[in-house]
Every structure is written in C-alpha cells, then in structure tokens.
Amino acid sequence: MASNGCAGLLPIPCRSGVTRLSCASLVFSRRVCWLWRSVLVRRGQRHDIRKTLRDGLCIETKMQGRSPSSGFYRALTCGAALLLCAASAQAEGTPIPHGTLELIARNQWIAAGQTLDLGLRFQLEKGWHIYWVNPGDSGEPPHVEWQLPAGLTAGAMEWPTPRRLETASIVDYGYEDTVLLIVPLHAAASLAAQQPARLGAEVKLLVCSHEMCIPGKAELSLTLPVKTQPAAPDAGTVDLFTAARKAMPRPAPGNWRFRLADANDSFVLSVNLGHQITGHRVTQAIFFPLAESQIENAAPQELLPVATGFRLTLRKSDRLLKPIERLKGLLVLSADRSYWIDVPLGKPGAARSKAATVLESTQYNP
C-alpha cells in the first residue's frame, strides 16, 4: 500500500503584499515533521518548474514578528500538517496537491516470466489537472523513479489520449478528474517464488488549475506475492485497467497513408484512409504532437475533408528553431478513435505501430 503523506495549502504574503497560496508537502518519519521544499509557481515558467521538480524550493515567507525558522513557525506548520493528515487518513490513496495518487496492480500476484500491468491512479479535484508526455505550452508530466527487487524491470509509461486544456492564450495537454497511467512490469523467468516483492515508486508531479501550478511528490509502495503459476486478475482493479486500455491510442490501420508537407508557416498533414468516403466524412481531427515546440498549440487546426480522407493544417511554432525531419504524435478523430502516427516530412509514410518505442525515446527525465 502507499506510504503515508500529507499535503496542504498555507497562505503566505507575496512581495506585493497580496496573499497567495503555496503548497507545503509534509512527510512524517520517526515522529519528526519535515518540511518538503515546495513552492507555488506561475504557469508558463517551464524552466523554473523543472528546477522546482528537481531540487525543490524552500518556502520564503515572513510572518508578523516571527521568523520562518522560529520554533513557533515550526510548531504551527507541523500542527497544521497533523490536522490535515488526520483529516485525510480515511482517504484512499496518498494525498497529492488537490487530489490523491495510488499505485495499483492488475493481477493478484507476480508470475515469473510474465508481464504485469501496474497503474498510477490519479484522482483530482474539479478544476485541476496533470500533464501528458508533451505538456503543451506549460507544465511538466509526472516523473517516476522505481525501486524494484532484482529480476523486475519497469517498462515505459503508457499514456492515455489526453485532452486539450485551453485558456485564452495557451493550450496544454493533460488529464482531469481520474486517470490511470499504466506501466508494464517485466518479471524475469528466473525470478524466485519466495518472499513477496515490494514495489516502490517515487513520483514527482505538477498539478495545475487555470490560475496556478503546485509541484508535489509522493512515495508509493505495493507488495505482491511472487508465484510460478499464471497470475489471476485482481477483481478490485481489473475493470480499471480494462477501461484504461480502451482509452489508449492504437496504431493507425495499415492501409492508411500519410503525407506531410512544409507550407511556409504551417505543416499540412494529408491522410488517406484507404477507401472512398461516402456519407460520413471526417468532421473532427485533432493532432497532439509528441515533441514540444513543433506546432503552435493554441492555433486552430484547420480540417479539410476530401473524398478519401482529410487534410489538417498545423501552424508552426514560433519556437521551432530548426527544420524537422518527421512529425510524431497522436491523431484523434473522436472520443474512442486515437492513433499513433509517425510521418516523415516531404514524402508518403505509414504510421509506425511501436508506440512504446516512440514514447521511450521522449520519456521525461529531469
């Protein structure tokens, strides 16, 4: 099960004298209250966000007549954290800023020589979100460091189809409400069926609303038996994994053909669906680029249906510093139809089917 943690919001005065909120994530170990270094960050400050997620930043605040290092301040902070932890003790999962996070498994045990699906299950409060592998105009995706016994290896994270999270001037890519990020766990055939295996994960993440972002950290763990017989599904989680699999993008059909052209300030993606379309032309198509700073995320994507498919015009990003050789990403045609594509520039190309390979080469590594 997940290790205990607690996160809360403490009001602090900013330089202008206006009260803002900053997240203090407090972890208790051996009866000692430690202040996990965290800070409220403004959206769009990607460099500062990365630095915060790597190193953490101490909360800098001044209380009237009190130093942040004073015994009064420490006692007040720890007392508030104790109340928050007590209030959330009955909540499922580990608290993160504006939500909870839980490490779950699809099966009841680990079977030697087989692959087990693990899941990071985020449950977020209304109005808050986390990010896709390409976060869009701001933010950072969750990053996981695994602590696994010998003979167990975590694969690349599998990302469900994201949503466009739009504001007046920027567009991000991410997830709201509840989302399950799946990570395959590979068990060596030589894995001994002895004592249970403890799976540990340290997750660093950024949780945002339309007004602010809060970095967080969670220490998760899950202990499972190791057996030689094929694993049985866990009745409490199998439906969650089944639903998550349905939300995963698929390889594009083999008879689809793609062409990517450079049109000065835009890319034009032409898609031939391999047959004549009669009566039901494509009326919706959204492209999510896998790499940052290739297209202008907030610009309209102009769709032009044609007899055998459609053309999608994507405005180039102002931050695109050198020509691209290919365009990789997700092509979403409806709520349940999303496809991985990888198209070279200037000539026809077929979609690559190994989406995990594409993701592995771009996985977030701070």
Side-chain angles (χ1 to χ4, degrees):
M1 58 184 296
S3 61
N4 291 332
C6 192
L9 291 176
L10 300 177
I12 64 173
C14 63
R15 293 181 180 178
S16 63
V18 180
T19 298
R20 292 182 180 172
L21 292 178
S22 181
C23 175
S25 175
L26 298 121
V27 180
F28 290 86
S29 175
R30 298 181 182 179
R31 300 182 182 179
V32 179
C33 177
W34 298 95
L35 177 62
W36 174 251
R37 297 177 298 170
S38 180
V39 69
L40 178 67
V41 290
R42 295 183 66 83
R43 292 166 57 83
Q45 295 176 320
R46 187 182 301 276
H47 174 76
D48 295 336
I49 291 170
R50 281 205 181 101
K51 179 173 175 56
T52 300
L53 288 174
R54 288 174 182 162
D55 305 324
L57 294 174
C58 290
I59 294 177
E60 297 180 358
T61 181
K62 292 183 179 179
M63 299 178 65
Q64 283 188 335
R66 300 289 180 181
S67 166
S69 60
S70 68
F72 172 82
Y73 182 82
R74 289 195 300 269
L76 179 61
T77 301
C78 291
L82 284 169
L83 291 175
L84 287 166
C85 289
S88 62
Q90 302 302 318
E92 185 176 347
T94 296
I96 58 174
H98 292 279
T100 60
L101 175 58
E102 185 181 10
L103 177 61
I104 61 176
R106 185 184 184 278
N107 296 336
Q108 298 180 39
W109 63 81
I110 300 170
Q114 296 187 0
T115 297
L116 165 69
D117 279 345
L118 299 178
L120 295 171
R121 187 170 187 243
F122 294 83
Q123 297 185 82
L124 303 169
E125 295 175 8
K126 184 176 179 60
W128 294 84
H129 59 266
I130 60 171
Y131 292 93
W132 187 51
V133 60
N134 173 9
D137 287 327
S138 67
E140 288 292 330
H143 171 64
V144 186
E145 292 186 4
W146 294 95
Q147 300 91 41
L148 302 173
L152 296 176
T153 305
M157 189 177 294
E158 300 180 21
W159 301 87
T161 302
R163 303 178 184 177
R164 283 172 60 94
L165 306 170
E166 303 183 27
T167 62
S169 58
I170 65 173
V171 168
D172 293 333
Y173 306 138
Y175 309 100
E176 299 174 308
D177 304 322
T178 299
V179 63
L180 183 66
L181 304 182
I182 295 178
V183 178
L185 182 71
H186 308 291
S190 58
L191 188 67
Q194 298 177 355
Q195 60 185 9
R198 181 187 181 278
L199 316 176
E202 179 184 272
V203 184
K204 295 181 181 179
L205 69 155
L206 196 66
V207 182
C208 295
S209 69
H210 289 308
E211 291 78 30
M212 66 181 70
C213 289
I214 303 175
K217 177 183 175 182
E219 299 280 354
L220 310 175
S221 67
L222 181 66
T223 300
L224 294 174
V226 180
K227 301 184 180 181
T228 54
Q229 64 262 42
D234 187 326
T237 61
V238 65
D239 289 344
L240 297 175
F241 282 91
T242 300
R245 284 288 176 202
K246 289 181 180 180
M248 290 291 179
R250 301 175 293 226
N255 63 334
W256 288 17
R257 293 294 177 265
F258 302 86
R259 179 184 293 272
L260 183 67
D262 191 325
N264 297 321
D265 64 345
S266 300
F267 297 112
V268 178
L269 176 66
S270 299
V271 183
N272 187 323
L273 302 180
H275 59 85
Q276 193 81 8
I277 300 175
T278 57
H280 298 283
R281 292 193 171 187
V282 174
T283 58
Q284 173 184 323
I286 301 173
F287 179 72
F288 292 84
L290 195 56
E292 299 177 24
S293 304
Q294 288 188 335
I295 70 170
E296 198 65 41
N297 301 307
Q301 298 186 6
E302 299 177 9
L303 174 66
L304 177 63
V306 296
T308 57
F310 59 90
R311 286 197 296 269
L312 194 62
T313 300
L314 310 168
R315 187 185 305 170
K316 292 181 182 178
S317 171
D318 293 338
R319 299 181 299 279
L320 183 61
L321 302 179
K322 60 181 181 179
I324 68 170
E325 295 182 355
R326 47 199 323 121
L327 193 64
K328 303 175 185 180
L330 279 182
L331 184 62
V332 180
L333 302 186
S334 65
D336 58 351
R337 297 172 63 201
S338 59
Y339 305 95
W340 288 113
I341 66 172
D342 180 355
V343 187
L345 182 64
K347 57 183 179 180
R352 292 178 60 182
S353 60
K354 296 183 179 180
T357 302
V358 175
L359 278 174
E360 188 172 11
S361 65
T362 59
Q363 192 170 10
Y364 169 57
N365 284 305

PDB file of all heavy atoms in Angstrom, residues 325-352:
ATOM      1  N   GLU A 325      12.443  16.608 -39.320  1.00  0.00           N
ATOM      2  CA  GLU A 325      12.513  15.542 -40.311  1.00  0.00           C
ATOM      3  C   GLU A 325      11.244  14.716 -40.352  1.00  0.00           C
ATOM      4  O   GLU A 325      10.899  14.152 -41.382  1.00  0.00           O
ATOM      5  CB  GLU A 325      13.707  14.639 -40.010  1.00  0.00           C
ATOM      6  CG  GLU A 325      15.057  15.346 -40.146  1.00  0.00           C
ATOM      7  CD  GLU A 325      16.216  14.403 -39.892  1.00  0.00           C
ATOM      8  OE1 GLU A 325      15.965  13.223 -39.515  1.00  0.00           O
ATOM      9  OE2 GLU A 325      17.364  14.844 -40.077  1.00  0.00           O
ATOM     10  N   ARG A 326      10.539  14.651 -39.229  1.00  0.00           N
ATOM     11  CA  ARG A 326       9.298  13.883 -39.176  1.00  0.00           C
ATOM     12  C   ARG A 326       8.413  14.445 -38.072  1.00  0.00           C
ATOM     13  O   ARG A 326       8.879  15.141 -37.175  1.00  0.00           O
ATOM     14  CB  ARG A 326       9.565  12.394 -38.970  1.00  0.00           C
ATOM     15  CG  ARG A 326      10.520  12.033 -37.924  1.00  0.00           C
ATOM     16  CD  ARG A 326      11.078  10.604 -38.068  1.00  0.00           C
ATOM     17  NE  ARG A 326      10.121   9.637 -38.550  1.00  0.00           N
ATOM     18  CZ  ARG A 326      10.301   8.925 -39.683  1.00  0.00           C
ATOM     19  NH1 ARG A 326      11.387   9.097 -40.414  1.00  0.00           N
ATOM     20  NH2 ARG A 326       9.387   8.044 -40.069  1.00  0.00           N
ATOM     21  N   LEU A 327       7.150  14.115 -38.153  1.00  0.00           N
ATOM     22  CA  LEU A 327       6.160  14.567 -37.180  1.00  0.00           C
ATOM     23  C   LEU A 327       5.567  13.339 -36.506  1.00  0.00           C
ATOM     24  O   LEU A 327       4.995  12.466 -37.164  1.00  0.00           O
ATOM     25  CB  LEU A 327       5.070  15.382 -37.872  1.00  0.00           C
ATOM     26  CG  LEU A 327       4.123  16.199 -36.980  1.00  0.00           C
ATOM     27  CD1 LEU A 327       4.903  17.285 -36.231  1.00  0.00           C
ATOM     28  CD2 LEU A 327       3.015  16.839 -37.823  1.00  0.00           C
ATOM     29  N   LYS A 328       5.718  13.264 -35.178  1.00  0.00           N
ATOM     30  CA  LYS A 328       5.195  12.148 -34.404  1.00  0.00           C
ATOM     31  C   LYS A 328       4.143  12.655 -33.433  1.00  0.00           C
ATOM     32  O   LYS A 328       4.262  13.759 -32.909  1.00  0.00           O
ATOM     33  CB  LYS A 328       6.315  11.470 -33.605  1.00  0.00           C
ATOM     34  CG  LYS A 328       7.477  10.975 -34.423  1.00  0.00           C
ATOM     35  CD  LYS A 328       8.576  10.438 -33.517  1.00  0.00           C
ATOM     36  CE  LYS A 328       9.808  10.033 -34.306  1.00  0.00           C
ATOM     37  NZ  LYS A 328      10.891   9.517 -33.426  1.00  0.00           N
ATOM     38  N   GLY A 329       3.150  11.838 -33.188  1.00  0.00           N
ATOM     39  CA  GLY A 329       2.149  12.244 -32.218  1.00  0.00           C
ATOM     40  C   GLY A 329       0.876  11.444 -32.325  1.00  0.00           C
ATOM     41  O   GLY A 329       0.846  10.348 -32.908  1.00  0.00           O
ATOM     42  N   LEU A 330      -0.191  12.005 -31.746  1.00  0.00           N
ATOM     43  CA  LEU A 330      -1.498  11.366 -31.718  1.00  0.00           C
ATOM     44  C   LEU A 330      -2.451  12.081 -32.665  1.00  0.00           C
ATOM     45  O   LEU A 330      -2.557  13.312 -32.640  1.00  0.00           O
ATOM     46  CB  LEU A 330      -2.095  11.420 -30.312  1.00  0.00           C
ATOM     47  CG  LEU A 330      -1.639  10.385 -29.291  1.00  0.00           C
ATOM     48  CD1 LEU A 330      -2.398  10.596 -27.992  1.00  0.00           C
ATOM     49  CD2 LEU A 330      -1.869   8.990 -29.816  1.00  0.00           C
ATOM     50  N   LEU A 331      -3.154  11.306 -33.453  1.00  0.00           N
ATOM     51  CA  LEU A 331      -4.217  11.826 -34.303  1.00  0.00           C
ATOM     52  C   LEU A 331      -5.539  11.332 -33.726  1.00  0.00           C
ATOM     53  O   LEU A 331      -5.806  10.132 -33.699  1.00  0.00           O
ATOM     54  CB  LEU A 331      -4.038  11.345 -35.742  1.00  0.00           C
ATOM     55  CG  LEU A 331      -5.016  11.891 -36.769  1.00  0.00           C
ATOM     56  CD1 LEU A 331      -4.911  13.408 -36.887  1.00  0.00           C
ATOM     57  CD2 LEU A 331      -4.784  11.243 -38.128  1.00  0.00           C
ATOM     58  N   VAL A 332      -6.357  12.267 -33.239  1.00  0.00           N
ATOM     59  CA  VAL A 332      -7.608  11.919 -32.570  1.00  0.00           C
ATOM     60  C   VAL A 332      -8.773  12.298 -33.480  1.00  0.00           C
ATOM     61  O   VAL A 332      -8.944  13.462 -33.841  1.00  0.00           O
ATOM     62  CB  VAL A 332      -7.735  12.639 -31.211  1.00  0.00           C
ATOM     63  CG1 VAL A 332      -9.036  12.262 -30.522  1.00  0.00           C
ATOM     64  CG2 VAL A 332      -6.541  12.295 -30.322  1.00  0.00           C
ATOM     65  N   LEU A 333      -9.600  11.301 -33.824  1.00  0.00           N
ATOM     66  CA  LEU A 333     -10.742  11.532 -34.709  1.00  0.00           C
ATOM     67  C   LEU A 333     -12.066  11.560 -33.961  1.00  0.00           C
ATOM     68  O   LEU A 333     -13.042  12.103 -34.462  1.00  0.00           O
ATOM     69  CB  LEU A 333     -10.788  10.456 -35.808  1.00  0.00           C
ATOM     70  CG  LEU A 333      -9.543  10.344 -36.686  1.00  0.00           C
ATOM     71  CD1 LEU A 333      -9.781   9.341 -37.808  1.00  0.00           C
ATOM     72  CD2 LEU A 333      -9.137  11.696 -37.260  1.00  0.00           C
ATOM     73  N   SER A 334     -12.105  10.964 -32.776  1.00  0.00           N
ATOM     74  CA  SER A 334     -13.301  11.002 -31.937  1.00  0.00           C
ATOM     75  C   SER A 334     -12.887  10.556 -30.548  1.00  0.00           C
ATOM     76  O   SER A 334     -11.719  10.244 -30.298  1.00  0.00           O
ATOM     77  CB  SER A 334     -14.408  10.095 -32.496  1.00  0.00           C
ATOM     78  OG  SER A 334     -13.998   8.737 -32.462  1.00  0.00           O
ATOM     79  N   ALA A 335     -13.853  10.491 -29.636  1.00  0.00           N
ATOM     80  CA  ALA A 335     -13.535  10.171 -28.247  1.00  0.00           C
ATOM     81  C   ALA A 335     -12.893   8.804 -28.099  1.00  0.00           C
ATOM     82  O   ALA A 335     -12.090   8.578 -27.182  1.00  0.00           O
ATOM     83  CB  ALA A 335     -14.805  10.260 -27.399  1.00  0.00           C
ATOM     84  N   ASP A 336     -13.232   7.851 -28.976  1.00  0.00           N
ATOM     85  CA  ASP A 336     -12.692   6.495 -28.857  1.00  0.00           C
ATOM     86  C   ASP A 336     -11.849   6.095 -30.065  1.00  0.00           C
ATOM     87  O   ASP A 336     -11.610   4.910 -30.304  1.00  0.00           O
ATOM     88  CB  ASP A 336     -13.831   5.490 -28.664  1.00  0.00           C
ATOM     89  CG  ASP A 336     -14.837   5.526 -29.805  1.00  0.00           C
ATOM     90  OD1 ASP A 336     -14.750   6.444 -30.648  1.00  0.00           O
ATOM     91  OD2 ASP A 336     -15.703   4.641 -29.857  1.00  0.00           O
ATOM     92  N   ARG A 337     -11.381   7.068 -30.837  1.00  0.00           N
ATOM     93  CA  ARG A 337     -10.554   6.769 -32.011  1.00  0.00           C
ATOM     94  C   ARG A 337      -9.333   7.687 -32.022  1.00  0.00           C
ATOM     95  O   ARG A 337      -9.382   8.816 -32.516  1.00  0.00           O
ATOM     96  CB  ARG A 337     -11.354   6.944 -33.305  1.00  0.00           C
ATOM     97  CG  ARG A 337     -12.530   6.001 -33.466  1.00  0.00           C
ATOM     98  CD  ARG A 337     -13.364   6.395 -34.673  1.00  0.00           C
ATOM     99  NE  ARG A 337     -12.618   6.277 -35.922  1.00  0.00           N
ATOM    100  CZ  ARG A 337     -12.933   6.916 -37.039  1.00  0.00           C
ATOM    101  NH1 ARG A 337     -13.952   7.774 -37.050  1.00  0.00           N
ATOM    102  NH2 ARG A 337     -12.227   6.736 -38.131  1.00  0.00           N
ATOM    103  N   SER A 338      -8.236   7.200 -31.447  1.00  0.00           N
ATOM    104  CA  SER A 338      -6.987   7.946 -31.462  1.00  0.00           C
ATOM    105  C   SER A 338      -5.870   7.017 -31.909  1.00  0.00           C
ATOM    106  O   SER A 338      -5.840   5.839 -31.530  1.00  0.00           O
ATOM    107  CB  SER A 338      -6.691   8.544 -30.090  1.00  0.00           C
ATOM    108  OG  SER A 338      -6.597   7.542 -29.102  1.00  0.00           O
ATOM    109  N   TYR A 339      -4.927   7.568 -32.697  1.00  0.00           N
ATOM    110  CA  TYR A 339      -3.928   6.732 -33.360  1.00  0.00           C
ATOM    111  C   TYR A 339      -2.544   7.369 -33.275  1.00  0.00           C
ATOM    112  O   TYR A 339      -2.387   8.584 -33.463  1.00  0.00           O
ATOM    113  CB  TYR A 339      -4.295   6.537 -34.843  1.00  0.00           C
ATOM    114  CG  TYR A 339      -5.686   5.992 -35.058  1.00  0.00           C
ATOM    115  CD1 TYR A 339      -6.752   6.848 -35.312  1.00  0.00           C
ATOM    116  CD2 TYR A 339      -5.938   4.620 -35.007  1.00  0.00           C
ATOM    117  CE1 TYR A 339      -8.042   6.353 -35.508  1.00  0.00           C
ATOM    118  CE2 TYR A 339      -7.223   4.120 -35.197  1.00  0.00           C
ATOM    119  CZ  TYR A 339      -8.260   4.990 -35.442  1.00  0.00           C
ATOM    120  OH  TYR A 339      -9.530   4.505 -35.634  1.00  0.00           O
ATOM    121  N   TRP A 340      -1.526   6.518 -33.000  1.00  0.00           N
ATOM    122  CA  TRP A 340      -0.144   6.970 -33.088  1.00  0.00           C
ATOM    123  C   TRP A 340       0.262   7.087 -34.548  1.00  0.00           C
ATOM    124  O   TRP A 340      -0.001   6.175 -35.338  1.00  0.00           O
ATOM    125  CB  TRP A 340       0.787   5.974 -32.401  1.00  0.00           C
ATOM    126  CG  TRP A 340       0.703   5.958 -30.913  1.00  0.00           C
ATOM    127  CD1 TRP A 340       0.233   4.942 -30.128  1.00  0.00           C
ATOM    128  CD2 TRP A 340       1.114   6.999 -30.027  1.00  0.00           C
ATOM    129  NE1 TRP A 340       0.316   5.289 -28.806  1.00  0.00           N
ATOM    130  CE2 TRP A 340       0.855   6.547 -28.707  1.00  0.00           C
ATOM    131  CE3 TRP A 340       1.659   8.269 -30.212  1.00  0.00           C
ATOM    132  CZ2 TRP A 340       1.133   7.323 -27.585  1.00  0.00           C
ATOM    133  CZ3 TRP A 340       1.938   9.039 -29.089  1.00  0.00           C
ATOM    134  CH2 TRP A 340       1.681   8.565 -27.805  1.00  0.00           C
ATOM    135  N   ILE A 341       0.886   8.188 -34.904  1.00  0.00           N
ATOM    136  CA  ILE A 341       1.409   8.331 -36.259  1.00  0.00           C
ATOM    137  C   ILE A 341       2.839   8.858 -36.193  1.00  0.00           C
ATOM    138  O   ILE A 341       3.239   9.529 -35.230  1.00  0.00           O
ATOM    139  CB  ILE A 341       0.535   9.255 -37.147  1.00  0.00           C
ATOM    140  CG1 ILE A 341       0.560  10.690 -36.626  1.00  0.00           C
ATOM    141  CG2 ILE A 341      -0.895   8.724 -37.239  1.00  0.00           C
ATOM    142  CD1 ILE A 341      -0.115  11.677 -37.578  1.00  0.00           C
ATOM    143  N   ASP A 342       3.609   8.537 -37.221  1.00  0.00           N
ATOM    144  CA  ASP A 342       4.994   8.973 -37.356  1.00  0.00           C
ATOM    145  C   ASP A 342       5.229   9.175 -38.846  1.00  0.00           C
ATOM    146  O   ASP A 342       5.382   8.212 -39.595  1.00  0.00           O
ATOM    147  CB  ASP A 342       5.930   7.921 -36.765  1.00  0.00           C
ATOM    148  CG  ASP A 342       7.397   8.310 -36.876  1.00  0.00           C
ATOM    149  OD1 ASP A 342       7.693   9.349 -37.494  1.00  0.00           O
ATOM    150  OD2 ASP A 342       8.248   7.561 -36.359  1.00  0.00           O
ATOM    151  N   VAL A 343       5.219  10.437 -39.290  1.00  0.00           N
ATOM    152  CA  VAL A 343       5.216  10.749 -40.722  1.00  0.00           C
ATOM    153  C   VAL A 343       6.460  11.557 -41.084  1.00  0.00           C
ATOM    154  O   VAL A 343       6.690  12.623 -40.495  1.00  0.00           O
ATOM    155  CB  VAL A 343       3.953  11.543 -41.108  1.00  0.00           C
ATOM    156  CG1 VAL A 343       3.880  11.716 -42.622  1.00  0.00           C
ATOM    157  CG2 VAL A 343       2.699  10.855 -40.595  1.00  0.00           C
ATOM    158  N   PRO A 344       7.264  11.089 -42.037  1.00  0.00           N
ATOM    159  CA  PRO A 344       8.417  11.885 -42.463  1.00  0.00           C
ATOM    160  C   PRO A 344       7.973  13.087 -43.287  1.00  0.00           C
ATOM    161  O   PRO A 344       6.922  13.064 -43.936  1.00  0.00           O
ATOM    162  CB  PRO A 344       9.230  10.904 -43.304  1.00  0.00           C
ATOM    163  CG  PRO A 344       8.233   9.897 -43.777  1.00  0.00           C
ATOM    164  CD  PRO A 344       7.184   9.793 -42.712  1.00  0.00           C
ATOM    165  N   LEU A 345       8.735  14.138 -43.232  1.00  0.00           N
ATOM    166  CA  LEU A 345       8.404  15.351 -43.965  1.00  0.00           C
ATOM    167  C   LEU A 345       8.736  15.196 -45.443  1.00  0.00           C
ATOM    168  O   LEU A 345       9.828  14.774 -45.807  1.00  0.00           O
ATOM    169  CB  LEU A 345       9.190  16.532 -43.391  1.00  0.00           C
ATOM    170  CG  LEU A 345       8.924  17.905 -44.014  1.00  0.00           C
ATOM    171  CD1 LEU A 345       7.482  18.337 -43.763  1.00  0.00           C
ATOM    172  CD2 LEU A 345       9.891  18.938 -43.454  1.00  0.00           C
ATOM    173  N   GLY A 346       7.761  15.508 -46.294  1.00  0.00           N
ATOM    174  CA  GLY A 346       8.014  15.628 -47.723  1.00  0.00           C
ATOM    175  C   GLY A 346       7.812  14.387 -48.542  1.00  0.00           C
ATOM    176  O   GLY A 346       7.975  14.418 -49.750  1.00  0.00           O
ATOM    177  N   LYS A 347       7.450  13.261 -47.911  1.00  0.00           N
ATOM    178  CA  LYS A 347       7.195  12.054 -48.689  1.00  0.00           C
ATOM    179  C   LYS A 347       6.176  11.202 -47.959  1.00  0.00           C
ATOM    180  O   LYS A 347       5.992  11.340 -46.747  1.00  0.00           O
ATOM    181  CB  LYS A 347       8.485  11.256 -48.897  1.00  0.00           C
ATOM    182  CG  LYS A 347       9.183  10.854 -47.609  1.00  0.00           C
ATOM    183  CD  LYS A 347      10.476  10.126 -47.920  1.00  0.00           C
ATOM    184  CE  LYS A 347      11.208   9.730 -46.633  1.00  0.00           C
ATOM    185  NZ  LYS A 347      12.471   9.030 -46.928  1.00  0.00           N
ATOM    186  N   PRO A 348       5.479  10.288 -48.681  1.00  0.00           N
ATOM    187  CA  PRO A 348       4.465   9.463 -48.031  1.00  0.00           C
ATOM    188  C   PRO A 348       5.092   8.610 -46.944  1.00  0.00           C
ATOM    189  O   PRO A 348       6.244   8.207 -47.025  1.00  0.00           O
ATOM    190  CB  PRO A 348       3.912   8.605 -49.169  1.00  0.00           C
ATOM    191  CG  PRO A 348       4.287   9.337 -50.421  1.00  0.00           C
ATOM    192  CD  PRO A 348       5.576  10.039 -50.121  1.00  0.00           C
ATOM    193  N   GLY A 349       4.307   8.332 -45.925  1.00  0.00           N
ATOM    194  CA  GLY A 349       4.801   7.480 -44.840  1.00  0.00           C
ATOM    195  C   GLY A 349       3.661   6.731 -44.191  1.00  0.00           C
ATOM    196  O   GLY A 349       2.533   7.198 -44.165  1.00  0.00           O
ATOM    197  N   ALA A 350       3.960   5.575 -43.704  1.00  0.00           N
ATOM    198  CA  ALA A 350       2.968   4.791 -42.981  1.00  0.00           C
ATOM    199  C   ALA A 350       3.180   4.971 -41.494  1.00  0.00           C
ATOM    200  O   ALA A 350       4.293   5.201 -41.041  1.00  0.00           O
ATOM    201  CB  ALA A 350       3.094   3.309 -43.352  1.00  0.00           C
ATOM    202  N   ALA A 351       2.108   4.887 -40.730  1.00  0.00           N
ATOM    203  CA  ALA A 351       2.206   5.066 -39.279  1.00  0.00           C
ATOM    204  C   ALA A 351       3.007   3.929 -38.673  1.00  0.00           C
ATOM    205  O   ALA A 351       2.848   2.778 -39.044  1.00  0.00           O
ATOM    206  CB  ALA A 351       0.811   5.107 -38.661  1.00  0.00           C
ATOM    207  N   ARG A 352       3.876   4.270 -37.739  1.00  0.00           N
ATOM    208  CA  ARG A 352       4.609   3.247 -37.006  1.00  0.00           C
ATOM    209  C   ARG A 352       3.716   2.657 -35.933  1.00  0.00           C
ATOM    210  O   ARG A 352       2.935   3.351 -35.305  1.00  0.00           O
ATOM    211  CB  ARG A 352       5.866   3.849 -36.367  1.00  0.00           C
ATOM    212  CG  ARG A 352       6.892   4.265 -37.374  1.00  0.00           C
ATOM    213  CD  ARG A 352       8.092   4.888 -36.698  1.00  0.00           C
ATOM    214  NE  ARG A 352       8.722   3.933 -35.785  1.00  0.00           N
ATOM    215  CZ  ARG A 352       9.772   4.237 -35.036  1.00  0.00           C
ATOM    216  NH1 ARG A 352      10.278   5.449 -35.066  1.00  0.00           N
ATOM    217  NH2 ARG A 352      10.301   3.332 -34.243  1.00  0.00           N
TER     218      ARG A 352
END
